[in-house]
Amino acid sequence: NRRKQKDNNILEVSSIPNPFPELCCSPFASVLSASVLSKETSRKKQVIKVYSEDNTSRALEVPSDITARDVCQLLILKNHYIDDHSWTLFEQLTHTGLGRAIEDHELIMEVQSNWVMEEENKLYFRKNYAKYEFFKNPLSFFPDHMISFPSETHPAVSHSGILQMFLSSSTYPEIHGYLHAKEQGKKSWKKLYFLLRRSGLYFSTKGTSKEPRHLQFFCEFNNSDMYMSLTGKKISGAPTIYGFCFKPNKSGGTRDLKQLCADDEQSRTCWMTAIRLLKYGMQLYQNYMQPYQGRSGCSPLNITPMRSISENSLVAMDFSGHRSRIIENPTEALSVAVEEGLVWRRRGCLRLNSHGSPIAMSNMGMSIHRSQSWFHHKISREEAQRLILQHGLVDGVFLVRDSQSNPKTFVLSLSHGLKIKHFQIVPLEDDGKLFYTLDDGHTRFTDLIQLVEFYQLNKGVLPCKLKHYCARIAL
């Protein structure tokens, strides 16, 4: 009873008023807490999973406001890769067979927020040599028959003039041409005349008429992303393999896709490049300029793109005399290359004679290429084309693979002029020695490494030199 009475006395004591109420309920307290919370929320870390071409993956803990370029830089540092500004994150939608290169400035968490939970979508880390190639060579991306300029523009547009018009807010070139469009809710495709203007993408209901009464709105790009078809005709039943589409950011399935299909790769590349420039404008140019900042005050639109040190040093030299000289004769350069290759192999034989088996050296030339990053063992023609397409259709992108039609030969797959061409590498036996050739024996090489190195220096019978190889990296 005494305890209860004591507790009641305590409860009856009136509470002491707070002499400084403004310290507890400051009008800035809610603002301060909101700003702190928003900053903490924006920097909250999440885990993302990134895949490579060989399907190895790596989990990364990153802040929620990280961009695609930052993720690429992180992977470059962690894996000790060389940063040549061509590394890119790709988004692949497995269920619909679509994929796209994520722009450098895009937030990764926003990209993943548009994914459907039950779909196994993936992020891939690979090279894309064509990411900003249109800034360097716009004339090859925009053919004359697909682009028209405002009437007040001079008919002869310069190299940088095309890009300045694309990036300008007042003028915009018109892209026009035929595309196959899939009718909404149907399996059939219809060939229509399309026009791309600053206000969006339109198609003509009457032939090639550009009159406003004949133009019907097809799609706008602010709330949708553009994807390339990775499966060709399999899923969508498209008339050609050059498909692309527009997917709303919050789309629930394939019914909301606006699907298009071009007749060739040049046409598809032109449409997709122009739409990228229309949607992102100066942001793309800033992404392209970022690696160049700090080198000089010049714009890459007005100067010749800088060549790498390796490209500047790719010349044949003769050091046998008192003074070195550049070998300009291709025949002499070839003979010197062959001789150097033979010397290198003789040295290798001597090393093996003292430390290993000389018999192993005889088989070394047959299989030494298998350790090279540009060689892909037993992949099909379609797989080779897919790999090159993913790395970008820039002149000189290549790989070497085993031939499926002839087990004893190899194939050089090469990108040139927005097309992928295949050249057979034939083995020749002469006086008990094995050689490889691309031109019916006129130019011979002791192994595939020597062949690739020669065509990196000389165009020869190829349409262009070998520049960038497709490699299956591991994370």
Side-chain angles (χ1 to χ4, degrees), residues 6 36 59 62 72 129 195 208 212 263 272 327 379 418 443 456:
K6 188 175 183 181
V36 171
V62 296
C72 290
Y129 297 107
L195 297 97
T208 59
D263 288 324
M272 295 186 70
I327 303 175
I379 64 171
L418 296 179
T443 312
Q456 285 177 325

Side-chain angles (χ1 to χ4, degrees), residues 119-180:
E119 295 180 359
E120 296 182 359
N121 301 327
K122 294 181 179 180
L123 293 174
Y124 279 89
F125 177 63
R126 65 169 73 106
K127 289 198 173 187
N128 180 17
Y129 297 107
K131 181 163 59 171
Y132 299 121
E133 187 68 18
F134 55 89
F135 281 119
K136 306 172 187 176
N137 189 19
L139 298 177
S140 63
F141 279 77
F142 303 107
D144 293 336
H145 67 278
M146 290 187 63
I147 187 169
S148 58
F149 302 96
S151 56
E152 65 271 10
T153 306
H154 193 271
V157 181
S158 64
H159 174 103
S160 60
I162 296 177
L163 293 176
Q164 290 173 357
M165 291 183 66
F166 271 113
L167 300 175
S168 173
S169 59
S170 57
T171 60
Y172 193 79
E174 182 183 84
I175 307 296
H176 50 80
Y178 281 98
L179 287 171
H180 302 270

Side-chain angles (χ1 to χ4, degrees), residues 413-449:
S413 299
L414 174 66
S415 170
H416 178 259
L418 296 179
K419 294 181 181 179
I420 300 173
K421 303 175 182 179
H422 306 273
F423 303 89
Q424 194 170 46
I425 302 173
V426 181
L428 292 176
E429 190 170 349
D430 186 12
D431 195 19
K433 296 180 181 179
L434 186 65
F435 298 94
Y436 296 93
T437 181
L438 272 174
D439 53 6
D440 298 328
H442 295 290
T443 312
R444 303 181 181 186
F445 305 94
T446 55
D447 56 44
L448 295 184
I449 296 180

Side-chain angles (χ1 to χ4, degrees), residues 340-379:
E340 286 186 356
L342 293 174
V343 171
W344 178 79
R345 281 155 185 79
R346 289 193 206 104
R347 292 173 180 171
C349 284
L350 293 174
R351 285 195 298 271
L352 284 176
N353 284 332
S354 57
H355 299 288
S357 172
I359 301 175
M361 191 59 198
S362 62
N363 297 325
M364 184 178 176
M366 300 288 292
S367 59
I368 191 173
H369 56 267
R370 298 188 183 278
S371 62
Q372 301 301 307
S373 301
W374 41 258
F375 184 78
H376 297 258
H377 182 56
K378 289 184 179 180
I379 64 171

